[in-house]
Amino acid sequence: MGPGGGWCYNGTGVAEAAPHVKRHAKSFSNQSQETFHALHFPAGGGCLYRTVHGGDYASYWEWWDKLDGVRSSRPTDCSPGFPPS
């Protein structure tokens, strides 16, 4: 675990990222086989999502400053974030 500490998502529903992780998630490790969707709510409105597949890992995540929360089902009210999911 890095200097900011970790945060675990239980894999169900929607969860807001813990304050110490929200927009500070420099790395991540999906240690399950479940797919979830990282969510970002830009200041100008709307919603973006990024799919994270089971077993995915990033030591430096390009979405580190965007993570606002996660959800288990693909959001239909959000647009795919970069890179496309």
Side-chain angles (χ1 to χ4, degrees), residues 5-67:
W7 174 66
C8 293
Y9 168 60
N10 71 8
T12 56
V14 178
E16 185 174 345
H20 69 282
V21 175
K22 188 175 187 175
R23 298 192 183 190
H24 297 288
K26 299 279 186 172
S27 64
F28 77 86
S29 176
N30 182 355
Q31 297 179 6
S32 75
Q33 293 306 307
E34 303 299 319
T35 295
F36 68 88
H37 307 277
L39 303 174
H40 173 55
F41 301 100
C47 174
L48 299 173
Y49 75 91
R50 172 89 187 270
T51 302
V52 178
H53 299 281
D56 279 357
Y57 168 81
S59 60
Y60 183 80
W61 194 27
E62 68 277 356
W63 250 47
W64 72 269
D65 60 345
K66 294 175 182 60
L67 179 68

